[in-house]
Amino acid sequence: MELRVEQLEKDNRRLMTRISRDRFAGLRGKLMARYRLMIIVCVISPVWMLLLEDVYGVGRVLNVCYASFFVITALANAYIYYLFHKIDYSIMTVKEALTATTHLEITRYRLRMLGWLMVVPLLVMMFQAFYETGQDEVINGAWFGLILGAIVGTIFDRKTRRLIRQMRHTLTEELDED
């Protein structure tokens, strides 16, 4: 009877490990898809400013700063994507995966702070250029875009942070079981 109970417990642990791995892989896949989307958005974004230059004449300096910001942001997102790609639960121990996930979260936070340091001067330059056009629709569109972008960005960031927390929680549960 004891042998049967031990075998059932071993099978149960194996099943729980497989479920945790599948859940981890699903979360990792969702996060990687999010970062692929952000890379694509960052690569496409400078095109909008080129269109604005032709229509409203916002200037070359602003275009270069805008394009540089999005290129740097695309590279930062690509780096985070690479860090997610490196976390392979099938070849890493749970502790290694948890350490890598924590490192990824810290790196993501630091890159986000760098992004804020870069975007504030860019926004000041953009709004100055938009106010210099003197056209109310440009100014109103800029404010609407800023507010809408802030809302969408906040929602996207919150969901991303939630997925990373779930991933870390899954790994912590797995580590606690071992």
Side-chain angles (χ1 to χ4, degrees):
M1 187 102 156
E2 285 181 30
L3 292 175
R4 177 86 172 127
V5 170
E6 286 178 24
Q7 181 62 35
L8 288 173
E9 286 177 354
K10 189 186 294 185
D11 289 345
N12 193 26
R13 279 194 301 273
R14 205 174 312 129
L15 179 63
M16 291 306 292
T17 299
R18 193 167 8 134
I19 290 170
S20 292
R21 284 186 179 154
D22 291 346
R23 192 169 42 176
F24 176 83
L27 291 170
R28 179 177 164 256
K30 285 180 185 178
L31 286 162
M32 289 176 70
R34 284 179 162 280
Y35 276 92
R36 271 193 304 268
L37 177 65
M38 286 192 277
I39 292 167
I40 291 168
V41 167
C42 288
V43 168
I44 293 173
S45 290
V47 174
W48 297 113
M49 198 55 135
L50 291 174
L51 295 173
L52 285 177
E53 181 188 15
D54 291 342
V55 176
Y56 299 110
V58 293
R60 286 267 180 230
V61 174
L62 183 57
N63 276 336
V64 169
C65 291
Y66 185 82
S68 299
F69 170 77
F70 278 103
V71 166
I72 292 168
T73 304
L75 291 173
N77 285 324
Y79 181 65
I80 296 295
Y81 179 86
Y82 168 74
L83 291 178
F84 273 117
H85 185 71
K86 273 182 29 177
I87 301 173
D88 190 357
Y89 195 50
S90 61
I91 61 172
M92 296 175 118
T93 65
V94 176
K95 190 172 184 177
E96 288 172 335
L98 185 58
T99 303
T101 303
T102 303
H103 169 69
L104 183 140
E105 199 168 12
I106 292 168
T107 302
R108 184 180 172 279
Y109 177 77
R110 288 177 180 163
L111 288 173
R112 200 171 73 210
M113 289 301 113
L114 175 65
W116 277 107
L117 289 174
M118 291 175 11
V119 80
V120 169
L122 177 64
L123 287 173
V124 169
M125 289 173 57
M126 287 176 68
F127 274 89
Q128 179 183 359
F130 294 152
Y131 274 101
E132 286 175 0
T133 65
Q135 298 178 15
D136 289 338
E137 64 271 4
V138 174
I139 297 165
N140 293 337
W143 281 106
F144 178 75
L146 178 67
I147 292 167
L148 183 64
I151 291 169
V152 170
T154 300
I155 291 169
F156 198 84
D157 185 59
R158 286 183 62 159
K159 287 182 179 180
T160 302
R161 282 185 294 154
R162 183 178 46 83
L163 288 170
I164 292 173
R165 273 195 308 269
Q166 286 177 348
M167 197 164 93
R168 199 176 62 228
H169 181 70
T170 300
L171 289 169
T172 304
E173 282 179 348
E174 183 69 27
L175 187 63
D176 290 342
E177 289 175 11
D178 289 342

